[in-house]
Structure formats: C-alpha cells, structure tokens
Amino acid sequence: MNFSILRTHEELGQWREEQRAEIILVPTMGCLHSGHSRLIEVARTCEFNKKELVVLVSIFVNPLQFGPDEDFKTYPRGLEKDIELATAFGANALWAPSTDQIFPKGPKSHFQIQVPKSLTSYLCGQSRAGHFDGVATVVLRLLTLVKPRMLVLGEKDWQQLVILRALLKDLDLAIKIKSVATVRDKDGLACSSRNQYLDASERLMAQSLPKELSNAVASYKNQKGINIPTIKSSLEQNGLKVDYVELLDPQFLQPIKQNKNLALLAAAVRCGSTRLIDHTFLMTRNPIVAIDGPAGAGKSTVTRELAKKLGLLYLDTGAMYRSVAWILKENEIDPQNEEAVKKILKTFDLELKQAHDKSIKVIVNGNNISNSIRSPDITALVSFVAAQKVVRDFLTTQQQKIGLKGGLVAEGRDIGTAVFPDAELKVFLTASTGERARRRVLDLKNQGFFKSEINEVEAQIKERDRLDSTRSISPLVKADDAIELITDGMNINNVVIAIEDLFRERIPEEVWPTPG
Ligand code: PAF
C-alpha cells in the first residue's frame, strides 16, 4: 500500500485530488500509542454512504490548547517513529504541518473559536482556561484544510468529544464524528501520550485513578451510591493530587438530573508533575431507545434495522397488541367488555423470544402465534383492541417489566411518553402526509393494487392522524424531549444512520459498543 507523508498545503491539496475515496481524518498531536492505533483501526472499517474511505492521520502539537504553565515545549514529539507507527497501524497518509502552515500569521493572530460556557463550566474547562477554545480553533482549521467526510475521536477526552460534536452541529458542517472507546494499558491506565512522563513509582500511583473509578462503578451497581469526597480522599491517600472529581450529565456536561440513568464520573489528578484525566460511566440499566410517530412513517422497518445495528432487543409492541387481539378473538371476547378482557388477561402469558436470525417469536400461553397474529383478521382488529384502556394499561406494565434491564428499542405511539419516559433517546419519526401517501401507494402497487389514488390515500392518512392525535386514550403526541426526524426524501438506511448518530451523541461506545 502507498503511504504518503504530507507537510505543506500544496502536498495536502495534491494528495486530496488524487484520492477517489472520501477522507476520514484522525487528528492527533503525535507520539502515537495503542489508543491512536485503535482510532486508525476503527477509521479503516468505517464507511460513508457505502463509499470507500482513506485514512489521513494529522499530527500537530497545537500551541493554542496549552496554557502558559503547561507542557507545550516538552510535549513528546517524534515524527520518525509516528510515521513508522501510522504506516503499521494502516493509515493511508500522514499530514504533519508546521505551525506556519496552520496559523500563517502566528497562532495568536488567528481568529479563535469561543466554546459556549455551558460546555466548559465543569471538568477540564474549569481548570484549563482557553484549552477547549484552542482545540476547537485548531480542529476547525484542520477540517477546512482537509475537508474530510468523517472525523474519528477518542472517548478518552470526553469533554473534547462533546464540544467538537457541538461545534460541527452549530456550524452545520456535514462531517460525521465516529467515537472510539478509551483504550487502556494492562494496568488499567488509559493510554495517553503524557503517560511517558511517569516514572515507575508514579506509574504505580497513577493506577489508583482507574481503580477508584471502577470501584465507584461497582458501588453504584450495588446501589451504594457515589461519594465524591470519599473518592477524592482515596486518590489523595494514594499520592495523587486531585484537580476535580465530578458527576455530570454526559451529554450536556452539567450536573446530572435526578432520574437520569446514565452519568459521567470524571476525574483529573496530578501524579508527580503529570496531569492525568480519566472517567467512567454509571448506569442503572442498559440504554433504551423510544421511536414514536404516525402510521406510515416507516417506524417498524427502521426500528428493526436499528436494533440489529446496535445490538439492541427489538421490542415489537405491535406484536404485543396483536397477541391480545388474537387471544380476544380466539375466546370470542368483545374488546369493549372490560371485565371479560381483564379476566382473560389474567391468564395471558406472553413471551417474545429472539431467534438466532434476530426475528421475534411470539409465544402466548405456550403457543407460537408468530404467524397467526399477522393474519388480515387480526390486522383489522388490532387498532380497536389497542384503543382499550384495560389493554393499554396491561401491556404498558408488561413492556416496562421487559424494559427494567434496558438494552432495547421500542416503537409505537406512546413509548417515549407513557411506556419509557426515561428512555435515553426518543425519536419522533414522521414524514409529510404527501410523502407517506406516496410510500403507501407504492406499497399497494407492490401488492398488486394499482388503482389507488394518491389524493385519496393522503386524505385517509390525514384523517387517521387526526383521530390518533385526538383520541382520549394514549393519543399520539411527541414527547417534549423527543427529536423529530422528518424522513421526506430519506431512504431507510439514511434514517437508521441518522438515529444511530443521535444514539451515539448520548450513549458512548464505552457503555454500549457497536456490535461486530
Ligand atoms: O485530542 C487531541 O489529540 C487534540 O486535542 C486534537 C483533537 C488533535 C486537537 O489538537
């Protein structure tokens, strides 16, 4: 494989022109280690809209992100070794610009980005004034010069990752961020170029940082809570000087709200003269994704695909309502007869079994009814059954029981509002009535019904929306904290990718790794 070493704008520009593939950038400050090797490895397996990608590693020790008393001058540098490692790790090119190339008039004379206070008021933002402004400024500069499609960043620098995501979003830059879980050495220490500064005894002391964090995870799991002063004093007792230990909302970097499932516990310490950072995530259960929206928005297909991609259980709430419709029909019970419905539901034992091919088997009272619930009779009955309060209350409780451990994605009308109001990600999936009518007509055509009039179908959809959102029991409403995704003009794959990106903004790879 050809490996290119680039230094100037001209060399970078020429290399860009030669590429037939999209560029994926792995920005670094050099002194490459196993953490970077993992970033490059992940970059090599990424794809963008099914296009091939080439991996460019940049090496630039950015003066703007070091404070006056920090280690800019002594920061470890070694280009020869980095070239060797980047080649061995499988990058396609390495770009090592000089400071003049990045900041022609000098770093201080260059325009600078100011990161919003809300993202820097805790963690390193507090103790390293101007650091993240420097990071954002240089990354934006690297991006304008390289023009990549994707950027690979480590979760090790969690605050940096959150800030850079916000930067790309606020500036509407169509560049995707792929995050990679922290890589640790055998002794538990998170890989960092600054670990080089530690001598043997400091290295031993430093190990108490990841140890204290994993003790906190264990204590949290055993419902013993988190005691920040105790963590601080244990670190100090081990010879580390604590800069901060903080418990925050990982997405907003602000104090965590009471009922949130996922928390970031992060710490910075000084070990001798070396500053080290590390973090962990605390969770009471695995993540939950709630997808709600009107009929015809493509929810089922999207939810099934998303579950497969993220290794989540697909909680098919539609199948659950169909199963109740099935048992009522089998026993000739009128869905409006509350007493009879309540009685039969007492004997209703529903099991959703995930088969090897990830399809869901629906077992009711020991009978596999996966096929029967898809019959036209049940289809005709299900929305009527699903509108009965007794049925909704019963199935909501069942769904919440299944959701106790999390690790699932569920789709419906009231998942984000009634069933899992504490879901980490709520998506309200919708499309204009015109688009939904177009899709419906296409479906009907595929099924051999060629005569459907698009205007008529659109009118039916509008009427169904009106009924769904005004009915008294579980009306279709968007949860306040749901993200609305309008899918006009998007194919299934792009919708799934968009939701996956929203998931990753909330759930780190460290907590829920992408399978495969
Ligand atoms: O994480 C780093 O190595 C640096 O902060 C970055 C993103 C390369 C910007 O200088």
Side-chain angles (χ1 to χ4, degrees):
M1 190 180 63
N2 251 349
F3 184 81
S4 309
I5 300 163
L6 318 164
R7 288 176 186 274
T8 61
H9 289 175
E10 291 71 31
E11 286 167 1
L12 175 68
Q14 199 179 343
W15 178 81
R16 285 191 67 250
E17 287 204 352
E18 285 161 14
Q19 303 313 307
R20 298 238 159 70
E22 301 287 359
I23 299 172
I24 182 162
L25 176 66
V26 182
T28 79
M29 298 210 299
C31 188
L32 302 184
H33 50 67
S34 328
H36 297 115
S37 130
R38 181 77 190 122
L39 298 183
I40 298 171
E41 192 184 317
V42 170
R44 285 175 50 205
T45 60
C46 282
E47 58 163 55
F48 183 84
N49 279 351
K50 307 218 180 292
K51 287 186 197 142
E52 215 187 298
L53 290 157
V54 281
V55 181
L56 174 70
V57 174
S58 69
I59 294 188
F60 180 65
V61 184
N62 168 31
L64 290 182
Q65 67 188 76
F66 289 81
D69 303 326
E70 292 185 356
D71 54 346
F72 174 63
K73 288 220 168 84
T74 53
Y75 192 83
R77 292 162 171 91
L79 190 57
E80 287 313 308
K81 183 122 189 281
D82 283 344
I83 293 173
E84 233 173 75
L85 290 173
T87 320
F89 296 158
N92 300 87
L94 181 140
W95 176 43
S98 63
T99 306
D100 294 352
Q101 292 285 316
I102 300 294
F103 302 120
K105 291 190 221 125
K108 294 282 176 211
S109 312
H110 196 273
F111 278 98
Q112 295 219 21
I113 300 281
Q114 202 174 358
V115 178
K117 281 251 167 1
S118 59
L119 295 175
T120 55
S121 45
Y122 291 92
L123 309 173
C124 294
Q126 266 222 325
S127 37
R128 299 186 73 188
H131 167 72
F132 290 112
D133 295 347
V135 171
T137 302
V138 83
V139 170
L140 189 61
R141 185 81 183 116
L142 299 177
L143 295 178
T144 26
L145 292 169
V146 176
K147 301 180 182 62
R149 281 296 185 173
M150 276 176 89
L151 189 59
V152 179
L153 294 167
E155 290 180 354
K156 154 96 177 14
D157 297 302
W158 183 257
Q159 189 169 21
Q160 167 174 287
L161 175 63
V162 173
I163 288 172
L164 292 178
R165 276 195 206 283
L167 174 75
L168 299 196
K169 203 171 237 176
D170 279 10
L171 298 186
D172 277 321
L173 296 178
I175 300 168
K176 188 180 157 124
I177 290 186
K178 169 80 189 157
S179 73
V180 178
T182 302
V183 177
R184 295 180 181 279
D185 281 329
K186 277 205 190 87
D187 59 3
L189 213 60
C191 293
S192 158
S193 305
R194 289 193 170 99
N195 290 354
Q196 283 200 359
Y197 296 147
L198 303 171
D199 65 26
S201 68
E202 288 172 334
R203 177 101 202 179
L204 275 176
M205 280 198 305
Q207 286 165 20
S208 65
L209 175 58
K211 252 189 225 144
E212 280 305 321
L213 293 174
S214 53
N215 288 348
V217 173
S219 141
Y220 194 73
K221 270 200 185 128
N222 298 330
Q223 335 247 274
K224 290 199 187 125
I226 292 298
N227 188 327
I228 303 254
T230 313
I231 300 174
K232 281 186 179 166
S233 73
S234 297
L235 291 167
E236 299 269 358
Q237 271 164 26
N238 283 302
L240 301 174
K241 198 166 169 311
V242 174
D243 176 357
Y244 63 76
V245 176
E246 284 169 347
L247 189 66
L248 296 175
D249 182 312
Q251 194 190 349
F252 302 110
L253 307 181
Q254 290 294 312
I256 189 104
K257 292 207 179 105
Q258 272 257 299
N259 56 354
K260 280 262 185 149
N261 167 47
L262 182 65
L264 166 75
L265 178 66
V269 297
R270 216 160 260 287
C271 179
S273 58
T274 307
R275 190 172 186 279
L276 300 171
I277 59 169
D278 203 349
H279 67 261
T280 189
F281 294 96
L282 306 169
M283 273 200 311
T284 48
R285 55 146 178 78
N286 288 329
I288 292 183
V289 181
I291 301 187
D292 289 304
K299 279 176 302 172
S300 325
T301 325
V302 164
T303 308
R304 196 169 294 122
E305 282 304 306
L306 185 78
K308 236 190 258 167
K309 269 196 135 173
L310 290 173
L312 295 165
L313 174 84
Y314 167 42
L315 181 60
D316 189 347
T317 57
M320 295 173 87
Y321 282 103
R322 281 172 179 271
S323 308
V324 174
W326 177 84
I327 200 140
L328 297 185
K329 188 159 194 307
E330 282 290 295
N331 291 279
E332 296 175 4
I333 293 171
D334 173 359
Q336 282 179 309
N337 181 343
E338 276 195 21
E339 284 317 304
V341 173
K342 267 188 197 158
K343 196 164 166 220
I344 193 90
L345 288 180
K346 280 204 181 111
T347 65
F348 180 76
D349 178 28
L350 171 73
E351 211 187 327
L352 294 174
K353 264 195 181 164
Q354 193 153 23
H356 280 311
D357 65 353
K358 303 273 181 228
S359 66
I360 305 284
K361 274 203 182 118
V362 184
I363 320 276
V364 167
N365 300 344
N367 304 310
N368 181 351
I369 57 163
S370 314
N371 291 334
S372 330
I373 59 166
R374 305 286 163 198
S375 73
D377 288 2
I378 300 296
T379 304
L381 191 63
V382 64
S383 44
F384 185 53
V385 170
Q388 307 307 316
K389 184 168 175 354
V390 180
V391 177
R392 286 216 88 86
D393 289 350
F394 174 80
L395 285 185
T396 298
T397 311
Q398 293 250 326
Q399 288 156 9
Q400 287 170 338
K401 258 192 213 152
I402 300 174
L404 280 178
K405 279 198 195 139
L408 61 83
V409 46
E411 155 247 326
R413 303 288 166 97
D414 59 352
I415 306 293
T417 47
V419 184
F420 300 124
D422 60 346
E424 279 67 42
L425 170 61
K426 296 179 189 176
V427 177
F428 193 78
L429 200 68
T430 183
S432 64
T433 47
E435 171 79 7
R436 284 188 281 144
R438 200 186 55 76
R439 290 179 192 165
R440 180 85 186 117
V441 168
L442 210 67
D443 276 354
L444 289 168
K445 263 194 190 149
N446 289 338
Q447 291 164 24
F449 301 100
F450 289 98
K451 289 223 179 88
S452 321
E453 276 294 333
I454 191 139
N455 293 347
E456 224 170 83
V457 174
E458 187 172 351
Q460 284 164 3
I461 288 178
K462 277 190 180 150
E463 178 57 9
R464 175 136 187 218
D465 282 359
R466 194 187 64 78
L467 290 175
D468 280 351
S469 46
T470 53
R471 71 179 186 206
S472 60
I473 294 171
S474 307
L476 171 69
V477 278
K478 176 175 158 292
D480 288 342
D481 50 351
I483 309 281
E484 183 167 86
L485 197 61
I486 302 168
T487 63
D488 286 37
M490 288 171 89
N491 63 26
I492 301 284
N493 193 37
N494 288 342
V495 177
V496 173
I497 291 173
I499 302 181
E500 212 185 333
D501 290 347
L502 292 170
F503 179 83
R504 278 295 162 226
E505 282 170 21
R506 291 157 179 79
I507 308 290
E509 286 278 345
E510 279 164 28
V511 160
W512 192 263
T514 306

